């Protein structure tokens, strides 16, 4: 089936903009499937780090991505039988992922995995290029954003809540650098689709954002 025959909502935006939380809740509200495209890049990054592959070795990183066969089950993510749900969210993996994601070969390898996620009754996909590259025919495209400081504060709370140490200033600087890298990359740079609705969540709560996206979805029907 083509993208046009399967209802698809895309939520793109920079790191820590809340895409995953919102996409998951919107999908649950609609009874749709949910695709965390960023998880695929994190899985590829984790696999590369475990294999000792240099982040500057594009050929080897692409080879790692091409061999991936992750399993998503009951809200957990497994790689070669190992539960990597938490491991892919570590700051080490987060910082390295944007370097891995700029490699064309890696993006090509993961592209087909993402496309296969579009199944009936529908899909909510979050990432960096869901609306611009992977699902250009999506019925609703949302580009979520927030200031780097607000996003850093959200990430800080997540890390502290998991019992990890975190430095707010360092997180802010890291997000600003990742924004710059993601928006400047040659392959699928981070930017809103031409027909995307822009949603600044800096001063919005989760339920408020979910309600806004669902309202836009109803309007798109």
């Amino acid at each position: 089936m083509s993208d046009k025959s399967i209802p698809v909502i895309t939520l793109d935006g920079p790191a820590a903009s809340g895409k995953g939380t919102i996409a998951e809740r919107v999908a649950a509200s609609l009874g749709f499937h949910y695709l965390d495209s960023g998880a695929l890049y994190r899985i590829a990054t984790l696999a590369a780090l475990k294999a000792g592959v240099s982040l500057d070795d594009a050929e080897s990183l692409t080879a790692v991505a091409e061999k991936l066969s992750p399993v998503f089950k009951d809200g957990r993510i497994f790689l070669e039988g190992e539960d990597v749900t938490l491991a892919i969210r570590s700051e080490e993996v987060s910082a390295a992922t944007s370097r891995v994601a700029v490699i064309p070969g890696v993006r090509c390898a993961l592209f087909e995995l993402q496309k296969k996620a579009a199944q009936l009754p529908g899909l909510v996909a979050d990432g960096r290029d869901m609306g611009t590259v992977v699902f250009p025919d999506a019925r609703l495209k949302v580009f979520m954003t927030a200031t780097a400081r607000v996003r850093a504060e959200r990430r800080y709370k997540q890390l502290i809540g998991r019992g990890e140490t975190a430095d707010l200033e360092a997180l802010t600087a890291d997000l600003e650098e990742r924004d710059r890298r993601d928006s400047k990359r040659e392959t699928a740079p981070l930017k809103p689709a031409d027909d995307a609705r822009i949603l600044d969540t800096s001063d919005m709560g989760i339920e408020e954002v979910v309600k806004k996206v669902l309202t836009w979805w109803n309007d798109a029907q």
Side-chain angles (χ1 to χ4, degrees):
M1 292 185 178
S2 68
D3 294 340
K4 293 181 179 180
S5 65
I6 298 176
V8 175
I9 299 173
T10 62
L11 276 72
D12 289 317
S17 58
K19 305 181 300 294
T21 299
I22 302 306
E24 197 165 14
R25 295 203 181 194
V26 169
S29 295
L30 297 173
F32 283 8
H33 298 286
Y34 164 56
L35 169 64
D36 176 0
S37 69
L40 294 177
Y41 287 97
R42 288 172 176 273
I43 293 168
T45 301
L46 178 64
L49 291 174
K50 282 179 171 291
V53 175
S54 169
L55 298 182
D56 296 317
D57 187 345
E59 184 175 347
S60 294
L61 289 171
T62 297
V64 168
E66 290 175 342
K67 296 176 182 177
L68 287 182
S69 55
V71 175
F72 297 82
K73 183 178 181 181
D74 299 327
R76 312 299 292 179
I77 302 172
F78 298 87
L79 181 63
E80 297 181 353
E82 179 185 355
D83 186 337
V84 296
T85 309
L86 294 180
I88 66 170
R89 300 294 173 184
S90 71
E91 277 307 294
E92 179 188 13
V93 172
S94 295
T97 296
S98 60
R99 293 180 61 185
V100 173
V102 302
I103 299 171
V106 172
R107 302 195 73 81
C108 182
L110 299 182
F111 179 81
E112 290 304 322
L113 283 178
Q114 295 171 42
K115 292 289 287 186
K116 291 177 181 178
Q119 300 178 10
L120 291 173
L123 175 71
V124 181
D126 84 71
R128 300 288 200 283
D129 61 353
M130 294 296 97
T132 54
V133 176
V134 183
F135 299 109
D137 294 320
R139 294 186 192 176
L140 173 63
K141 303 173 187 176
V142 179
F143 189 86
M144 289 178 55
T145 187
T147 66
R149 187 65 176 192
V150 167
R151 288 182 284 128
E153 290 172 349
R154 292 171 179 169
R155 177 61 57 80
Y156 179 85
K157 291 177 181 177
Q158 289 177 341
L159 293 172
I160 295 300
R162 294 205 297 257
E164 300 181 35
T165 58
D167 182 304
L168 183 57
E169 297 303 326
L171 286 172
T172 302
D174 177 60
L175 285 174
E176 290 174 340
E177 170 58 22
R178 289 164 66 183
D179 288 349
R180 185 198 64 77
R181 198 157 55 217
D182 287 343
S183 62
K184 298 297 183 182
R185 68 188 180 209
E186 292 184 9
T187 302
L190 173 65
K191 65 178 183 179
D194 291 338
D195 53 348
R197 289 178 175 262
I198 309 301
L199 183 57
D200 188 332
T201 67
S202 297
D203 300 315
M204 299 175 70
I206 293 175
E207 295 307 323
E208 187 179 2
V209 177
V210 170
K211 183 177 180 180
K212 173 62 72 173
V213 174
L214 289 174
T215 297
W216 282 345
W217 174 246
N218 290 332
D219 292 343
Q221 302 311 299

